Amino acid sequence: MAAVDNLQFEEFGDIPTSLAANPDATTISIEDPGETPKHQSGPARGSGREEDDELLGNDDSDKTELLAGQKKSSPFWTFEYYQTFFDVDTYQVFDRIKGSLLPIPGKNFVRLYIRSNPDLYGPFWICATLVFAIAISGNLSNFLIHLGEKTYHYVPEFRKVSIAATVIYAYAWLVPLALWGFLMWRNSKVMNIVSYSFLEIVCVYGYSLFIYIPTAILWIIPQKVVRWILVMIALGISGSVLAMTFWPAVREDNRRVSMATIVTIVLLHMLLSVGCLAYFFDAPEMDHLLATAAAPNQTIAAAKFS
Amino acid sequence: MAEAAESPGDRETASPRPLFAGLSDISISQDIPIEGEITIPMRSRSREFDSSTLNESVQNTIMRDLKAVGKKFMHVLYPRKSNTLLRDWDLWGPLILCVTLALMLQRGSVDGDKDGGPQFAEVFVIVWFGAVTITLNSKLLGGNISFFQSLCVLGYCILPLTVAMLICRLVLLAEPGPVNFMVRLFVVVVMFAWSIAASTAFLADSQPPNRKALAVYPVFLFYFVISWMILTFTPQ
């Protein structure tokens, strides 16, 4: 056979004609939904459909279709309604965290891990952990930086916990709200293939903040270079998760609008991390410079008075 | 009716006495007066019990409640798989512990704008709203523990950390330095582990098995934050 034919699905023709040609041939009429569309669209790549199959995983696409219909049937004033947002097992939460730490190009976080089961457990507790991680690490880092100084009196700085909580929870809930509103508005103008619900966007943002927990702990190291490298790494990972999630949702739109959306998402993320670093963690070198500048002044003053 | 008809029949075959021979012929009519008092002995006894707790002295009431709280303290200090904390829950113990902890943790003087340790209200809010959040989380994940039982367990398991706070206060009276800090760190870490062990001994069974870690992690975070507040306490 020619090389082109190797890529084509070998059509055996209609069943009646093949039976007429060879009456003894056994014909099986089982349709394999996973196989046939893939082969038919094999030569014609570029449609979104094969990308969807790749993202979902062919063996799970049936299960996803079946399970997608059985969600959220209770009215919103019952307790069971809110229980549907916590319908995750331990391994699912770990998988989602892993997915946010390892962004693979082409794999969409929402399609792959969330799969129309968004949970509020991850976003809420990751944000809570991040609040305390930033506040405690900031306190510890300031203590270590000012360790030798005689004029420094250690304070636990408890007020910063409330500030951290306000900032992080506002970021994790208001930015998804704004983004969801924006995407809904664009959806009314341009028909997008992919559209996310509000809870899925909250979920993505919540899990993408997980990388900042070890980053905040490592920010205790009082070296400016180390801190900025950590900022770059964390921003790279979580920014790429967000960008790869939202790129399919704005892809069909006007080029400038979609680029502006992705740039804004990444920019807000960077603003959060740099802002937290600047506010909660004192600059290491500057305080050492001040201390060494103060010491010679004191010795000069002592020499003058003696 | 069939059963009533059978039993005299059985009795007849078991012991053929003419005593019950005419039982089937009895017709309930106005000939046999059925009246009188039906008294259940149990009920009168419980009525006496109720009135006795109303009439008892205040000391008896307080001592009974204190003994219940003290018994639960013992269960927390030596955690075994028992149901006492869950069955007879009360919130007196958590209230006593929370108020003690908050009183000891609050900053001594008014600092002005200098940032310091937590205020009394901040500690109180963290403990109670933290416990409520963990309870809601455990119920939303599908646990079968009641709201107040969970609050009771979480509140009672602060006891080791309160003991740690007392020890830290005593240690802080000595000379400050790295040794001082190491002793406090060791005490707080041991008590933190004890709190986690005690609360998971009570709470872990109420969760479905594939979500245990999800329900236990917030408890870990809660006691970690309280331990951090205890460890970083500096007297003014």
Side-chain angles (χ1 to χ4, degrees):
Chain A
M1 279 201 232
V4 163
D5 287 339
N6 282 338
L7 298 172
Q8 298 280 349
F9 180 67
E10 190 172 358
E11 292 286 338
F12 288 105
D14 288 346
I15 294 174
T17 53
S18 64
L19 270 176
N22 190 356
D24 291 332
T26 47
T27 58
I28 304 170
S29 58
I30 299 172
E31 284 253 292
D32 195 351
E35 287 286 327
T36 333
K38 194 174 185 179
H39 282 279
Q40 280 173 355
S41 65
R45 287 180 184 259
S47 68
R49 183 134 173 246
E50 57 91 13
E51 200 176 87
D52 288 349
D53 280 348
E54 237 181 17
L55 290 169
L56 285 174
N58 290 331
D59 49 346
D60 277 352
S61 57
D62 298 23
K63 197 163 70 162
T64 319
E65 293 300 314
L66 284 171
L67 288 177
Q70 307 166 4
K71 296 292 289 176
K72 296 186 184 65
S73 52
S74 318
F76 71 91
W77 55 83
T78 59
F79 191 70
E80 282 73 28
Y81 175 73
Y82 298 101
Q83 265 185 326
T84 58
F85 300 138
F86 283 78
D87 192 18
V88 277
D89 293 336
T90 310
Y91 76 92
Q92 280 176 318
V93 173
F94 282 150
D95 276 344
R96 291 175 188 195
I97 292 177
K98 217 168 40 167
S100 78
L101 289 177
L102 307 166
I104 305 173
K107 291 283 171 90
N108 188 333
F109 181 77
V110 173
R111 303 301 292 276
L112 196 55
Y113 291 106
I114 301 200
R115 284 191 186 187
S116 56
N117 183 19
D119 70 308
L120 287 181
Y121 177 89
F124 183 77
W125 288 110
I126 290 176
C127 288
T129 312
L130 185 60
V131 164
F132 289 113
I134 285 187
I136 291 177
S137 304
N139 198 234
L140 205 52
S141 139
N142 290 348
F143 172 70
L144 288 175
I145 287 175
H146 298 282
L147 192 48
E149 294 166 21
K150 290 187 174 43
T151 55
Y152 179 72
H153 179 66
Y154 171 74
V155 284
E157 289 178 323
F158 193 75
R159 193 57 45 81
K160 294 205 169 170
V161 171
S162 0
I163 298 175
T166 314
V167 165
I168 291 185
Y169 274 102
Y171 180 79
W173 286 86
L174 294 182
V175 172
L177 186 66
L179 188 61
W180 175 74
F182 176 74
L183 288 177
M184 285 293 120
W185 174 61
R186 291 314 293 180
N187 255 355
S188 67
K189 299 206 158 179
V190 176
M191 199 57 224
N192 279 321
I193 292 180
V194 176
S195 72
Y196 298 124
S197 73
F198 172 61
L199 283 169
E200 286 173 348
I201 301 181
V202 167
C203 219
V204 173
Y205 263 86
Y207 280 104
S208 74
L209 286 176
F210 179 81
I211 183 70
Y212 285 112
I213 298 176
T215 310
I217 297 176
L218 286 174
W219 273 341
I220 296 178
I221 302 172
Q223 297 295 328
K224 217 169 181 142
V225 176
V226 170
R227 286 182 177 177
W228 280 99
I229 291 177
L230 286 168
V231 168
M232 289 298 135
I233 295 175
L235 188 63
I237 292 178
S238 58
S240 61
V241 167
L242 287 177
M244 280 193 283
T245 305
F246 290 108
W247 178 246
V250 290
R251 190 170 44 193
E252 278 81 23
D253 209 341
N254 189 356
R255 192 83 185 162
R256 280 191 308 187
V257 171
S258 54
M259 289 304 296
T261 311
I262 301 290
V263 165
T264 311
I265 292 175
V266 176
L267 211 62
L268 282 173
H269 219 61
M270 187 177 73
L271 206 64
L272 178 77
S273 63
V274 170
C276 282
L277 179 61
Y279 184 73
F280 292 102
F281 294 82
D282 285 347
E285 273 91 296
M286 224 165 11
D287 287 313
H288 278 311
L289 279 172
L290 280 173
T292 50
N297 284 340
Q298 282 173 355
T299 52
I300 291 171
K304 272 193 190 161
F305 279 118
S306 64
Chain B
M1 269 311 176
E3 290 161 340
E6 272 172 15
S7 48
D10 281 345
R11 277 194 214 112
E12 274 184 341
T13 52
S15 54
R17 281 182 287 171
L19 197 60
F20 300 109
L23 198 59
S24 50
D25 297 338
I26 290 178
S27 61
I28 308 289
S29 63
Q30 293 88 354
D31 316 352
I32 305 171
I34 300 178
E35 57 181 70
E37 270 186 45
I38 301 178
T39 56
I40 305 171
M42 285 300 294
R43 195 149 68 158
S44 64
R45 229 185 291 159
S46 71
R47 219 177 274 143
E48 278 168 29
F49 185 62
D50 280 345
S51 58
S52 71
T53 62
L54 209 55
N55 286 337
E56 71 179 3
S57 64
V58 175
Q59 183 189 3
N60 275 359
T61 315
I62 292 181
M63 285 316 293
R64 193 177 58 238
D65 280 336
L66 276 181
K67 278 204 197 100
V69 168
K71 202 161 70 147
K72 292 202 190 68
F73 279 172
M74 284 300 127
H75 276 281
V76 169
L77 285 180
Y78 305 107
R80 288 179 304 257
K81 290 257 180 205
S82 81
N83 269 341
T84 314
L85 243 76
L86 292 177
R87 215 178 33 221
D88 324 310
W89 60 266
D90 73 275
L91 292 179
W92 283 114
L95 182 66
I96 295 174
L97 288 171
C98 179
V99 168
T100 313
L101 197 62
L103 277 175
M104 287 196 288
L105 270 178
Q106 62 174 346
R107 52 183 120 144
S109 55
V110 177
D111 283 321
D113 51 348
K114 192 160 171 12
D115 208 1
Q119 298 277 16
F120 179 91
E122 285 170 342
V123 177
F124 212 80
V125 159
I126 280 192
V127 169
W128 283 102
F129 273 91
V132 166
T133 310
I134 295 176
T135 307
L136 276 179
N137 175 66
S138 132
K139 284 187 80 70
L140 282 168
L141 281 173
N144 59 356
I145 194 171
S146 99
F147 185 75
F148 288 108
Q149 279 173 345
S150 171
L151 276 188
C152 170
V153 168
L154 287 168
Y156 269 104
C157 291
I158 297 182
L159 176 67
L161 288 170
T162 312
V163 171
M165 182 74 222
L166 286 165
I167 298 179
C168 282
R169 271 278 192 159
L170 292 173
V171 170
L172 277 170
L173 292 174
E175 164 137 353
V179 174
N180 194 311
F181 177 72
M182 286 318 225
V183 168
R184 281 187 293 139
L185 179 67
F186 176 72
V187 166
V188 169
V189 165
V190 165
M191 292 302 177
F192 166 65
W194 202 337
S195 281
I196 302 253
S199 59
T200 46
F202 293 115
L203 286 179
D205 289 335
S206 67
Q207 284 296 323
N210 50 351
R211 295 183 186 183
K212 272 205 191 7
L214 295 184
V216 166
Y217 170 71
V219 178
F220 169 84
L221 188 64
F222 176 62
Y223 289 128
F224 182 78
V225 169
I226 297 183
S227 314
W228 175 257
M229 287 199 292
I230 292 175
L231 187 60
T232 61
F233 173 76
T234 48
Q236 300 297 331

